[in-house]
Amino acid sequence: MHQFRMENGELWVEEVPVEELAERYGTPLYVYSARTVEEHYDRLVEAWKGLNPMILYAVKANSNRAILELLAARGSGFDLVSGGELFRVLRAGGDPQKCTFAGVGKTRREIQEALEAGVLALIVESEQELLRIEEVAGRLGCRAPVALRINPEVAPGTHPKIATAVKESKFGIPYSAALAVYERAASSPRLQIKGVQMHLGSQITRMEPFEEALDRMVPLVSELKRRYGISFFDLGGGFGVVYEEALASGKREWWEEQATPPATPRMLAERLEGKLASLDVRIFLEPGRLLVGNAGILVTEVQYVKELEGGKEIVIVDAGMNDLMRPALYGAFHEVVPLRDRGAGYKLLDVAGPICESGDFFARNRWLPALRQGDRIAIMTAGAYGFSMACQYNSRPRAAEVMVRGREVRVVRLRETYQDLVRGERGWQKEDARLDGGLAD
Ligand SMILES: *Cc1c(COP(=O)(O)O)cnc(C)c1O
C-alpha cells in the first residue's frame, strides 16, 4: 500500500532510512515516496479497468512539481481549481487537453486563462458563472467547452468541512435546476456542452454515498446524453485513505481484522460498474488524497518535553499547524511514529507544535513510545492537504520537501528562508513605495 516501513526499529522510505534524510535536510521536512504515488495510480487504473476511466489528479491535494510530473508521465490528467494550479500543471508538462477547471469562484482572468490553455472543460457551478464564461468566450472569439457540476444532494458521512454535496452546499447546481441550466447552455453559440460532473466531498470510505448519488445521477446522465450527446460523466473525487495505523494498514492482516474495512478502489469500482457501464460516456475520476495521502510524511524533531501533573507529557516539536493544518482544522487523526524506536516503553503523550494557538496539536492523549529532546518523529499520511495547505503563520518559513525513489533522493522544494517571508512586502517609506510598480500580480 505504501513504501514506508519499520525495519529493526527504524523507519524507512523505499530504500532510505528517514533519519538520514532528517540529518541531511533538517526538520520540519516533508518526505514523499515516488513509487507509492505511482503504485496508487496504477492500482486505481487497474481497479477500474473495466470502464477505462480518465484519471484527473486533484492538484489541490499536493501541487509539488515533482508529483505533477510523475503523474503526467503516467498519463494522468488534472483537476484544477485555480489559475495558479493551471500555471503549475502547464509548467510541469501536464496536458491541458486532459484538464478540467472547476471551482465556485472563477474570475474572468481564470476563465480566460483556462480557455487560452485549451482545457478539456470548465466545470460550471452556477448559472451566473455560465453567463460569465459565455461573455469571456465571446470576447476571445471561441466556443467554451463546459460541463455542469450537479449537486446530487447526498450526505457522504464525512466531516462537515469536507462534505460538498449536501443541499445547503455552496458547490454545484441544484439537482432540480440541472435541465434548465443545461438548456440555457445549449442555447448559446459560445458554449459547447461536453459532460456532467459531481463531487461528494472528501475522505469518503464507504460505498453507499456513491451508490446513492449514482441512483440520482445516472438517469440524468442518460437524458443529457440523449439531448446533447455529452461525452463524459465525471464522478469527482473524495476516495478516502486509512489514517489510523498507517503502517499496519499496509498489511493484509490489518484489513482482515477490521469490522468494516474502508472500501478499496477495486471494491468501489465493482460496486459501481454495473450502474455506469450502460451509459456509453467516458467516466472521469478526480482522486486527490487517494493518490498522494499515504505517499508522504512530515518529519519533525522534539524540542522540549514538558511534564504535566499526573505524569502526562507534552512533546513540543518543530513542526506546527502552519506546516500541517489538518489536525487543527478538521480534528484529523495522523499516526505518529518515532524514526528510531529506542524500546524505552510507552507513555501517554500530547504532541504539539510551537505556534501560539491552543489548537496547534498533532496528537492528544496518545500512547506513544517515550520521546526525549532531539528525537525525531514522523507524522504519517501527510502527503495530501499537508504542504499544499501550509502557510507562514507566526512568520515560519515553510518546510523543505524531498522525494525518494529507491535509493535516490531529490529536494523537490527548498526550505524557505527569512527573505521568502518578506518577499513582495514594502514599508511605508517613499523609497519602498517607488518599488511598488503598480498592481501586484
Ligand atoms: C477536492 C476535490 C477533489 C479531490 O478530493 P480528494 O478527497 O482529495 O479525492 C476532486 N474534485 C473536486 C471538485 C474537488 O473539489
Side-chain angles (χ1 to χ4, degrees):
M1 304 261 169
H2 60 70
Q3 300 252 359
F4 295 91
R5 65 187 186 285
M6 287 306 272
E7 223 173 87
N8 303 322
E10 177 158 33
L11 184 68
W12 287 66
V13 49
E14 302 201 13
E15 291 155 48
V16 180
V18 177
E19 189 80 30
E20 243 176 66
L21 300 174
E23 281 293 338
R24 193 143 137 223
Y25 301 106
T27 53
L29 179 71
Y30 273 98
V31 177
Y32 305 127
S33 155
R35 284 183 185 158
T36 303
V37 178
E38 291 171 348
E39 282 169 18
H40 284 189
Y41 182 85
D42 294 348
R43 189 164 321 116
L44 183 66
V45 169
E46 177 65 24
W48 284 81
K49 70 169 188 276
L51 288 172
N52 182 31
M54 173 140 127
I55 312 284
L56 305 164
Y57 167 62
V59 172
K60 73 179 191 283
N62 186 326
S63 50
N64 184 282
R65 178 173 178 163
I67 301 259
L68 302 180
E69 280 173 354
L70 67 85
L71 286 168
R74 273 289 194 275
S76 181
F78 298 94
D79 164 41
L80 312 172
V81 294
S82 72
E85 287 188 353
L86 174 61
F87 169 78
R88 281 178 182 275
V89 163
L90 295 177
R91 182 168 168 270
D95 179 356
Q97 294 285 327
K98 292 185 185 171
C99 289
T100 53
F101 194 103
V104 282
K106 297 177 195 73
T107 62
R108 284 194 177 82
R109 173 180 165 171
E110 287 176 319
I111 293 167
Q112 178 167 344
E113 286 167 354
L115 292 176
E116 285 175 345
V119 300
L120 174 84
L122 289 147
I123 308 290
V124 182
E125 306 225 18
S126 67
E127 190 162 353
Q128 277 197 349
E129 185 192 324
L130 199 65
L131 301 182
R132 183 178 272 188
I133 293 171
E134 194 178 14
E135 170 212 310
V136 175
R139 190 152 44 75
L140 297 179
C142 68
R143 274 187 94 193
V146 295
L148 304 192
R149 174 169 176 176
I150 303 301
N151 181 352
E153 290 150 16
V154 299
T158 184
H159 190 285
K161 281 190 187 152
I162 49 176
T164 59
V166 291
K167 215 169 187 147
E168 314 73 44
S169 170
K170 71 172 178 176
F171 298 102
I173 291 165
Y175 185 85
S176 56
L179 286 176
V181 182
Y182 267 102
E183 208 39 46
R184 174 68 189 75
S187 71
S188 170
R190 288 290 166 208
L191 302 174
Q192 211 179 340
I193 297 174
K194 290 284 199 182
V196 58
Q197 194 255 21
M198 69 173 202
H199 174 66
L200 302 183
S202 201
Q203 187 52 15
I204 304 169
T205 53
R206 294 180 311 122
M207 298 189 270
E208 290 76 14
F210 286 101
E211 281 195 296
E212 224 181 287
L214 287 196
D215 287 342
R216 301 206 79 188
M217 293 295 286
V218 163
L220 177 66
V221 177
S222 308
E223 182 61 20
L224 295 173
K225 169 86 183 169
R226 196 181 62 76
R227 289 195 192 186
Y228 311 113
I230 61 166
S231 61
F232 72 81
F233 175 24
D234 184 337
L235 305 187
F239 317 111
V241 302
V242 177
Y243 282 91
E244 301 80 21
E245 306 190 65
L247 284 172
S249 68
K251 304 189 179 111
R252 173 179 285 271
E253 312 89 74
W254 184 89
W255 289 84
E256 283 165 0
E257 280 164 16
Q258 302 306 301
T260 46
T264 62
R266 182 76 214 121
M267 287 157 70
L268 187 66
E270 268 169 14
R271 187 80 81 92
L272 303 184
E273 246 168 28
K275 292 186 198 288
L276 295 170
S278 61
L279 283 174
D280 190 28
V281 293
R282 184 99 192 261
I283 298 302
F284 291 4
L285 304 174
E286 300 175 347
R289 190 189 310 269
L290 181 74
L291 297 184
V292 294
N294 61 23
I297 60 174
L298 175 59
V299 179
T300 178
E301 186 182 285
V302 175
Q303 303 298 303
Y304 302 101
V305 178
K306 295 175 76 168
E307 197 164 335
L308 300 188
E309 274 177 54
K312 191 173 124 171
E313 288 178 355
I314 301 188
V315 175
I316 314 277
V317 296
D318 66 358
M321 61 189 273
N322 71 299
D323 299 300
L324 176 64
M325 205 179 291
R326 299 187 66 260
L329 188 59
Y330 311 121
F333 181 98
H334 285 266
E335 189 180 15
V336 171
V337 177
L339 301 196
R340 283 199 178 126
D341 191 347
R342 291 192 318 264
Y346 279 68
K347 275 206 163 143
L348 187 63
L349 301 178
D350 281 358
V351 179
I355 305 244
C356 306
E357 294 276 344
S358 45
D360 184 27
F361 272 84
F362 293 115
R364 280 196 144 122
N365 293 319
R366 211 81 68 85
W367 286 96
L368 291 173
L371 292 170
R372 57 187 186 201
Q373 206 167 34
D375 283 351
R376 298 188 182 109
I377 58 176
I379 300 167
M380 305 299 290
T381 324
Y385 307 104
F387 190 91
S388 66
M389 289 178 119
C391 67
Q392 298 170 329
Y393 185 42
N394 276 210
S395 286
R396 291 165 46 81
R398 280 178 295 182
E401 296 172 285
V402 299
M403 181 176 276
V404 174
R405 174 189 294 284
R407 301 170 59 85
E408 254 183 280
V409 182
R410 296 278 161 79
V411 175
V412 294
R413 195 173 202 275
L414 297 175
R415 183 176 303 287
E416 287 186 343
T417 64
Y418 291 156
Q419 283 306 319
D420 292 320
L421 296 178
V422 296
R423 198 166 83 86
E425 190 172 304
R426 302 282 184 269
W428 185 250
Q429 297 95 330
K430 271 226 167 73
E431 322 65 276
D432 279 355
R434 254 192 305 113
L435 294 174
D436 193 0
L439 290 175
D441 192 355

